[in-house]
């Protein structure tokens, strides 16, 4: 047991406390990626013998948000349940409500809106992803989705521009190269 000073984070009557760091490792059922997280817990006992547990809620909420992304992707792909784009989109929005910094939710929303044929919304979500992403491969995929949306909307010039950006980011992307070639020669 660790003895804390009487004043700890504005809690004036702390007598004793224990700090515990918990490491958790899980396997993402959708991607099989190994996910690790650490949460700091404080168990504090006041001078009256009452215990209180405090923890870093941001990490717990981030983990919940990540789970919504996984559930959304499972609905989009029809894994475990029937394919349901609307439910997938709902889970991606829940993830962003919990943690607005999860840019992969924007990417997934863009792909889901593309599948629902909601072209403008697909573009909006992919642009939100592009604003915050530093991952060239992911950015290339986002430009592919934008290119497809513009192509479906009949705007060949914007579609071509998006596929050119996708090729710049990932020069060996057969998807972007094929669509760009189709727009140039077709």
């Amino acid at each position: 047991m660790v003895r804390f000073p009487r004043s700890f984070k504005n809690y004036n009557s702390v007598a004793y406390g224990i700090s515990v760091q918990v490491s958790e490792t899980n396997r993402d059922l959708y991607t099989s990626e190994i996910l690790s997280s650490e949460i700091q817990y404080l168990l504090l006992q006041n001078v009256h013998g009452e215990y209180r547990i405090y923890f870093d809620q941001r990490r717990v909420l981030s983990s919940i948000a990540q789970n919504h992304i996984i559930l959304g992707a499972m609905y989009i792909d029809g894994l475990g349940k029937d394919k349901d784009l609307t439910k997938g989109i709902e889970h991606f929005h829940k993830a962003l409500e919990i943690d607005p910094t999860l840019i992969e939710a924007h990417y997934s929303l863009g792909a889901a809106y593309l599948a629902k044929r909601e072209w403008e919304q697909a573009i909006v979500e992919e642009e939100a992803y592009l604003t915050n992403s530093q991952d060239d491969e992911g950015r290339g995929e986002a430009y592919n989705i934008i290119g497809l949306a513009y192509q479906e909307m009949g705007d060949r010039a914007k579609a071509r521009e998006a596929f050119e950006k996708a090729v710049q980011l990932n020069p060996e992307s057969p998807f972007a190269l094929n669509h760009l070639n189709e727009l140039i020669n077709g």
Side-chain angles (χ1 to χ4, degrees), residues 49-146:
E50 300 165 331
Y51 289 95
R52 300 268 193 263
I53 297 175
Y54 297 89
F55 59 93
D56 184 353
Q57 290 180 340
R58 291 169 298 185
R59 286 193 180 179
V60 172
L61 290 175
S62 179
S63 178
I64 292 169
Q66 288 284 350
N67 287 333
H68 277 292
I69 290 174
I70 293 166
L71 286 171
M74 290 176 78
Y75 274 110
I76 298 301
D77 293 338
L79 299 174
K81 285 260 185 191
D82 293 334
K83 188 173 187 170
D84 189 333
L85 296 173
T86 302
K87 283 188 179 183
I89 287 170
E90 288 173 11
H91 279 286
F92 297 140
H93 279 294
K94 285 179 186 177
L96 286 170
E97 286 173 23
I98 295 167
D99 187 353
T101 66
L102 288 175
I103 60 173
E104 61 266 26
H106 287 291
Y107 173 82
S108 297
L109 275 168
Y113 282 123
L114 184 75
K116 279 190 82 171
R117 304 178 66 82
E118 294 181 25
W119 317 128
E120 289 96 1
Q121 198 60 40
I123 293 167
V124 166
E125 293 300 339
E126 293 308 329
E127 287 176 346
Y129 172 82
L130 288 167
T131 300
N132 297 299
S133 177
Q134 302 300 318
D135 174 31
D136 283 349
E137 185 176 339
R139 291 171 58 81
E141 293 300 321
Y143 279 118
N144 282 333
I145 291 171
I146 291 170

